[in-house]
Amino acid sequence: MNKGIWQSDWFAGLVITLTFVLFSSSDFISSIEQSAYDFGVRASNKKPSNKIAIIAIDDNSISNLGRWPWSRDKHALLLNMLSKTDTAVIGQTIFFTEPQRDPGLQNINELLDFYRNSNIPSITSDLKKLNTLLKNSSSAINKLSSKQRNQLKKLITFLKRSQLINNSGNDLTVLKNSLIRAEHNLNTDRIFAKSIKENGKVVLSMPFFIGPQLGKQSKELPDYVTKNTLTKSVGISQAIESGFLPLTSYKTLTPISELSKDALAIGNLISVPDSDGSIRNEALVIDHYGAYYPSLALILAAKGLNLDLSDILVKFGEGVKVGKLDIRTDESLQMHTFFYNDKENGQSAFQIDSFYDVISGKIPVAKYKDKIVLIGATAIGVGSTQVTPIKPGMSPVETLAHSVSSILKQDFFIVPKWAIFAQIGLILFIGIYLILILPRLKAAMAFVITSTFTVSMLLTHYVLMTQQNWWIELMLPVLLLLTGHLLLTTKHFLLTERGKLQSDFESAESNRMLGLSFQGQGQLDMAFEKFRKIPLDKSTMELLYNLALDYERKRQFNKATSVYNYIAEFDPKFKDINQRLARTKAMEETVILGGSAGSSAGGTLVLEGAGLQKPMLGRYEVEKELGKGAMGSVYLGKDPKISRVVAIKTMALSQEFEEDELQDVKNRFFREAETAGRLSHPNIVTIYDAGEEHDLAYIAMEYIKGSDLAAHTKPDNLLPLLKVISIIARSADALEYAHQQNVVHRDIKPANIMYEDASDSLKITDFGIARITDSSKTKTGMVLGTPSYMSPEQLAGKRVDGRSDLFSLGVMLFQLATGELPFQADSMATLMYKIANEPHPDPSSIRKGLPRCITIIINRAMAKNIEKRYQKASQMASDLRKCAQITMKAAQKK
């Protein structure tokens, strides 16, 4: 293949198309498709089924009924009340897989066993016989001697008057009945089972564990589970041949027999997240070792329509039919659930009532007549929330409600069978456009055609989702079109324009313009090289004089001296060249910048002296010093081209790192700065630029008014609690965004959160700085900073992810709420040991009156086991905002 083919536009278009096809199933492409899907869901406007009602185990219920888990007689009480009205069906999302045994019940059972196995029951019978003998003894007395009669009369008189004959038998009977009654009252499983039986409309949930079935199941499932299998199906043979089979489970936890035997049905309740962790689908049928079990949503929808399991037909590879409802799914029988947007006032799309309000009579049970009632937890700390297209923290019972409504109203999304052919056709069409048509078009026409195609595909995606409930994956063709257009037009421009510039490169005017361009970009050495190729005249000396002033601003006095000498050789009397030359030589001997020997990280760029230019860092003028840090100073700067005020953080890398690791650290510094610079969020400080001046690395960033939160960590200067919750919630929002970009902060603490009270604005600073400094040592050999906010895995030197930031955020919430750090010690080693091994104190023990929800959020954020911690910052933010509402309502009641 000759060189011309390699450089041709059509070959480049072919390579771009094949590359996109090769990576069509990558996580990046999937995430783009999922984001477009979520947008379509949020843009759709449908009303949910009015047959669904949720009774929530919420914070109000826990506050009134006690901490979770509750005694099951409370669940029984709710069912007994619902029995008073004619509900359609009741779905229970709480897993009852273990018997509930009160310690008192165990003691009562032990007493009953002792009573039944002892001689006590025979005492009552013996006492009755003794009483009969006493009544019949008068005839026998006359046959005895006088002395024997007197002794026997005394014995009879004593027995007749004693409690042994008169009351002990009754007392033993009362004792037995009391034990039996206590056992009945404490056996909450029996009470709950009775209410399930009497209600007759309760469907229990059962967890299945999704995964490959590598062997045989360990034991057969009980009859009360297997009776819920689906037996009617079509297309099984074709599904086996094509591989279009339901999800398989390798293990399950069955609800206890006592509760299940009288339940109306049992359905599987699982969540199958997509690659980004979001829940978008409902697995309607699960294969458990050859038996097919329906989901809880599917059973509830069927029972809500007065249908039985026999009315459900499984259509393998296509969907499920319930009565006259035809539910279209993907090949694995997963339904693309429609999620209904919240109401305008922010309330859930579904009717949600508090468990406590129902059992206390505040809400009449008559409102649940003919309803599908779902019972589940929504309280903070009870179960895990789920990420869905419309909400980052949705409770499982709400997710279930959306699935049931999607079935009943036929609102689920459908992927048409021809969708894959449409996608392939579009990719082929765009590939042909990029290979054969685009290279022949003029730039303006190519832009119009590409824009038209792009807008048409995006509008098609939007209309199909919002109007037809069809989901066709069009983001791959859109990305192919946009990327191909951008790369091909850029290649075309570079190959044509660069050649034109190259032909005039050595001309005087070209050198003048290039020199000015390099000077404007801060590349002064390149500018000096170009200016020296221009014939020296007055205008050229003006250029060189200004270049020397720029060298002075950058504290490169030796190079300024070289430029002044070059000018002086042509005209020694030009302007104040002699005074400038003498001053720069003197400064060259006394001022050493950046990481050179003798410099200090604590030094300053702002030097006093008549005639000296304002110092420069890159293209920024340094106005004044704002403060000092462990590895450098922070300056107030200005970009003279656009008059933008910036804050410039400097780091003397050459002083903090050995020569053999300095280049690696520099490369890491600029990678981290580039990564942080891509972050664009209202609560993250914007990074504008990064550069290096004589081993003095710097980052130019957004200048923020206000101060950090360190001043508000003292007990006498704490912020109001609602403001603290708002600050932490917004910080969690910013971290969620950063973590989605695969950026971990690693140094979340009050000193890195800038806050202005007047405008209530908040910004997180120093993204990526911790990764640069974590290998640096101070002169005493200690790791820079304090580990007070570090997670256990970070202290252990393990690889960290976003969950480490959430631990640090939990520590910060603890300190801002109480005025104390959770872990304190006299030595660094002791402090690190406590963080890694000891539980943190209860925040409410330090600050009385803290809301319970604050403690719950801190406990979960600071869990030492990373799997028990918040998995996403959005989940923590959601809980914080719920906590704020609870705190506000509590304050209003007072």
Side-chain angles (χ1 to χ4, degrees):
M1 188 178 291
N2 59 45
K3 185 176 180 180
I5 293 177
W6 287 101
Q7 295 181 346
S8 63
D9 289 339
W10 73 264
F11 184 75
L14 178 61
V15 170
I16 293 169
T17 303
L18 293 177
T19 301
F20 264 81
V21 172
L22 183 63
F23 291 97
S24 60
S25 59
S26 66
D27 289 342
F28 172 73
I29 299 296
S30 296
S31 67
I32 299 297
E33 293 288 0
Q34 289 162 355
S35 297
Y37 177 91
D38 293 348
F39 174 79
V41 175
R42 292 191 295 269
S44 301
N45 187 18
K46 296 179 184 295
K47 291 185 179 181
S49 171
N50 59 8
K51 290 193 63 174
I52 300 170
I54 298 174
I55 298 180
I57 301 168
D58 57 1
D59 292 289
N60 174 51
S61 301
I62 291 178
S63 297
N64 286 281
L65 298 178
R67 63 184 298 178
W68 184 263
W70 294 333
S71 174
R72 289 176 184 169
D73 57 353
K74 292 184 173 63
H75 298 283
L77 176 59
L78 177 63
L79 290 185
N80 291 337
M81 295 187 69
L82 291 175
S83 296
K84 298 176 182 178
T85 189
D86 190 18
T87 57
V89 66
I90 299 171
Q92 182 61 261
T93 65
I94 306 298
F95 295 134
F96 300 106
T97 57
E98 294 290 339
Q100 187 176 73
R101 290 293 180 259
D102 187 278
L105 176 62
Q106 184 176 352
N107 294 335
I108 291 295
N109 283 329
E110 289 174 358
L111 288 174
L112 270 174
D113 290 341
F114 170 77
Y115 182 94
R116 288 165 179 157
N117 296 325
S118 68
N119 295 320
I120 296 175
S122 64
I123 291 176
T124 304
S125 175
D126 291 344
L127 290 174
K128 290 180 178 179
K129 292 179 181 179
L130 179 59
N131 193 32
T132 301
L133 287 174
L134 290 175
K135 291 180 180 179
N136 299 329
S137 61
S138 57
S139 60
I141 291 176
N142 296 328
K143 298 178 182 180
L144 300 176
S145 66
S146 176
K147 185 177 181 179
Q148 289 175 331
R149 283 198 301 271
N150 290 334
Q151 291 177 344
L152 186 57
K153 285 180 179 180
K154 290 180 181 180
L155 177 60
I156 293 172
T157 301
F158 169 77
L159 289 174
K160 287 183 176 181
R161 291 177 179 178
S162 72
Q163 297 299 320
L164 182 65
I165 295 295
N166 296 321
N167 294 313
S168 58
N170 293 333
D171 290 344
L172 290 174
T173 302
V174 170
L175 174 62
K176 175 185 176 182
N177 293 336
S178 297
L179 290 173
I180 293 173
R181 187 165 53 255
E183 188 273 339
H184 180 272
N185 292 335
L186 289 176
N187 193 329
T188 55
D189 282 341
R190 185 183 300 158
I191 295 171
F192 191 23
K194 181 181 178 183
S195 65
I196 291 174
K197 181 177 181 180
E198 291 176 350
N199 185 283
K201 295 184 177 181
V202 179
V203 178
L204 297 180
S205 57
M206 172 173 154
F208 283 77
F209 296 86
I210 301 302
Q213 300 166 356
L214 302 179
K216 295 181 179 180
Q217 61 179 324
S218 57
K219 62 179 181 179
E220 296 293 330
L221 296 180
D223 292 342
Y224 59 81
V225 173
T226 57
K227 71 178 184 180
N228 294 281
T229 57
L230 299 174
T231 57
K232 297 177 65 174
S233 64
V234 294
I236 182 63
S237 57
Q238 297 90 330
I240 293 174
E241 290 177 4
S242 60
F244 295 158
L245 294 169
L247 299 178
T248 59
S249 83
Y250 63 93
K251 185 178 72 171
T252 184
L253 296 177
T254 59
I256 62 175
S257 168
E258 191 169 7
L259 301 181
S260 305
K261 61 185 180 180
D262 292 315
L264 182 62
I266 298 176
N268 75 68
L269 184 61
I270 61 171
S271 59
V272 185
D274 289 330
S275 58
D276 62 350
S278 293
I279 302 297
R280 298 181 178 87
N281 304 319
E282 171 77 21
L284 297 181
V285 179
I286 297 295
D287 175 4
H288 187 74
Y289 294 97
Y292 301 103
Y293 291 91
S295 71
L296 183 60
L298 183 61
I299 290 181
L300 291 173
K303 296 297 183 181
L305 297 172
N306 298 317
L307 300 173
D308 294 322
L309 294 176
S310 59
D311 297 309
I312 298 177
L313 174 66
V314 180
K315 300 163 68 177
F316 285 97
E318 296 183 14
V320 178
K321 191 169 185 180
V322 182
K324 295 183 179 180
L325 296 181
D326 196 2
I327 309 164
R328 298 280 296 279
T329 67
D330 64 10
E331 294 85 355
S332 61
L333 297 182
Q334 292 190 76
M335 177 185 71
H336 299 300
T337 303
F338 184 91
F339 288 88
Y340 302 87
N341 290 305
D342 289 348
K343 298 176 183 177
E344 293 182 358
N345 58 6
Q347 293 182 342
S348 172
F350 294 93
Q351 169 189 327
I352 300 181
D353 298 325
S354 171
F355 189 105
Y356 176 74
D357 289 344
V358 176
I359 66 172
S360 64
K362 184 176 179 180
I363 297 176
V365 293
K367 71 179 294 186
Y368 303 114
K369 180 178 173 60
D370 298 327
K371 299 283 188 182
I372 299 174
V373 180
L374 309 181
I375 303 173
T378 62
I380 296 175
V382 180
S384 298
T385 56
Q386 299 173 334
V387 180
T388 64
I390 63 169
K391 191 181 296 184
M394 181 178 288
S395 62
V397 70
E398 290 181 83
T399 306
L400 175 64
H402 288 277
S403 296
V404 176
S405 181
S406 295
I407 295 172
L408 293 177
K409 295 199 67 183
Q410 301 280 276
D411 285 337
F412 44 81
F413 288 100
I414 298 172
V415 178
K417 291 183 178 180
W418 48 264
I420 183 64
F421 302 107
Q423 187 184 33
I424 294 173
L426 280 172
I427 292 173
L428 290 175
F429 174 78
I430 293 170
I432 293 172
Y433 170 72
L434 295 177
I435 295 169
L436 301 178
I437 302 175
L438 182 62
R440 293 180 170 84
L441 297 176
K442 292 184 178 180
M445 180 59 70
F447 176 79
V448 171
I449 294 176
T450 299
S451 300
T452 302
F453 284 164
T454 302
V455 172
S456 297
M457 285 188 287
L458 292 175
L459 283 176
T460 300
H461 181 276
Y462 175 83
V463 171
L464 289 178
M465 285 204 72
T466 57
Q467 303 299 321
Q468 300 294 327
N469 280 23
W470 286 354
W471 178 35
I472 302 176
E473 297 184 16
L474 297 180
M475 293 305 105
L476 177 61
V478 169
L479 287 175
L480 172 60
L481 178 59
L482 293 177
T483 305
H485 178 94
L486 178 64
L487 292 178
L488 288 174
T489 53
T490 302
K491 171 183 174 294
H492 188 264
F493 173 80
L494 290 177
L495 289 179
T496 56
E497 298 300 323
R498 188 167 58 186
K500 188 183 296 183
L501 291 174
Q502 194 70 26
S503 63
D504 299 328
F505 188 68
E506 295 300 330
S507 69
E509 189 62 25
S510 175
N511 283 317
R512 180 189 300 272
M513 298 304 295
L514 285 171
L516 289 171
S517 175
F518 286 134
Q519 184 178 1
Q521 297 171 18
Q523 302 182 50
L524 304 186
D525 292 343
M526 296 290 292
F528 190 23
E529 179 183 346
K530 297 304 173 187
F531 288 158
R532 281 189 296 187
K533 294 181 180 180
I534 306 173
L536 273 174
D537 55 21
K538 188 174 181 178
S539 63
T540 304
M541 287 191 292
E542 286 286 348
L543 294 176
L544 291 167
Y545 184 87
N546 290 328
L547 179 65
L549 294 181
D550 280 351
Y551 273 128
E552 282 190 44
R553 293 187 183 98
K554 290 180 174 289
R555 293 316 190 234
Q556 299 177 17
F557 297 105
N558 57 335
K559 295 183 178 181
T561 300
S562 298
V563 179
Y564 287 137
N565 280 329
Y566 186 78
I567 297 173
E569 289 176 4
F570 183 78
D571 185 1
K573 298 182 179 180
F574 182 76
K575 290 189 174 183
D576 58 346
I577 190 74
N578 291 323
Q579 294 89 334
R580 289 281 177 188
L581 193 55
R583 186 181 295 110
T584 54
K585 285 182 178 180
M587 297 302 296
E588 180 182 348
E589 296 172 357
T590 58
V591 178
I592 303 175
L593 179 66
S596 305
S599 66
S600 169
T604 179
L605 293 174
V606 185
L607 301 175
E608 300 295 331
L612 290 176
Q613 303 299 309
K614 283 185 177 181
M616 301 284 288
L617 272 176
R619 68 173 186 268
Y620 302 97
E621 292 181 352
V622 178
E623 301 286 346
K624 65 178 181 180
E625 185 177 88
L626 296 175
K628 293 181 183 294
M631 295 185 68
S633 300
V634 181
Y635 299 95
L636 178 66
K638 181 181 179 182
D639 187 343
K641 288 187 176 181
I642 58 176
S643 297
R644 173 192 280 159
V645 177
V646 298
I648 307 173
K649 180 184 287 287
T650 63
M651 299 176 69
L653 298 179
S654 61
Q655 294 187 43
E656 301 297 331
F657 298 91
E658 298 298 331
E659 187 67 27
D660 58 348
E661 64 179 348
L662 183 58
Q663 188 57 47
D664 179 67
V665 172
K666 287 181 181 179
N667 293 338
R668 194 174 351 139
F669 173 86
F670 288 110
R671 283 199 305 271
E672 293 296 326
E674 179 186 1
T675 300
R678 292 199 300 267
L679 300 178
S680 178
H681 190 275
N683 298 123
I684 297 177
V685 170
T686 302
I687 304 297
Y688 298 131
D689 195 11
E692 180 186 11
E693 291 282 352
H694 286 273
D695 291 340
L696 186 67
Y698 67 88
I699 297 177
M701 62 187 70
E702 178 182 6
Y703 175 66
I704 305 297
K705 295 180 181 179
S707 59
D708 61 52
L709 291 174
H712 297 292
T713 59
K714 308 300 180 185
D716 58 349
N717 193 33
L718 296 178
L719 292 168
L721 190 57
L722 283 174
K723 186 166 288 187
V724 169
I725 295 174
S726 173
I727 288 172
I728 301 298
R730 284 181 281 170
S731 300
D733 291 339
L735 289 175
E736 173 69 10
Y737 168 80
H739 296 164
Q740 289 177 349
Q741 313 304 313
N742 296 319
V743 177
V744 181
H745 191 287
R746 296 182 175 85
D747 195 21
I748 290 296
K749 58 186 178 182
N752 283 336
I753 311 293
M754 301 296 293
Y755 180 72
E756 185 184 31
D757 189 57
S759 62
D760 192 34
S761 62
L762 176 146
K763 299 275 186 178
I764 301 180
T765 66
D766 282 3
F767 266 90
I769 298 300
R771 191 179 180 100
I772 305 302
T773 61
D774 61 9
S775 61
S776 173
K777 308 289 181 182
T778 65
K779 292 178 173 135
T780 61
M782 295 190 71
V783 178
L784 282 173
T786 171
S788 295
Y789 302 89
M790 293 184 186
S791 63
E793 63 269 21
Q794 191 174 5
L795 289 174
K798 297 179 181 178
R799 183 184 182 93
V800 300
D801 56 25
R803 294 173 289 183
S804 177
D805 284 348
L806 300 186
F807 182 98
S808 303
L809 193 62
V811 175
M812 198 172 84
L813 174 58
F814 187 108
Q815 189 179 23
L816 291 175
T818 65
E820 292 184 13
L821 282 167
F823 301 103
Q824 302 181 53
D826 296 330
S827 68
M828 190 76 74
T830 304
L831 178 60
M832 294 170 71
Y833 177 83
K834 285 186 175 183
I835 294 173
N837 299 283
E838 294 185 3
H840 59 271
D842 187 348
S844 60
S845 67
I846 300 172
R847 181 177 177 183
K848 304 298 182 184
L850 270 182
R852 172 180 169 275
C853 56
I854 288 288
T855 300
I856 292 174
I857 292 170
I858 290 174
N859 290 345
R860 186 170 181 186
M862 292 181 62
K864 299 189 190 301
N865 185 340
I866 195 170
E867 298 300 328
K868 294 182 179 180
R869 209 176 294 163
Y870 283 106
Q871 301 300 296
K872 288 179 175 289
S874 58
Q875 296 173 344
M876 185 173 178
S878 176
D879 283 358
L880 283 163
R881 292 189 169 97
K882 287 183 181 179
C883 184
Q885 293 177 357
I886 295 168
T887 305
M888 192 179 301
K889 290 179 180 177
Q892 291 172 351
K893 289 181 180 179
K894 292 182 180 179

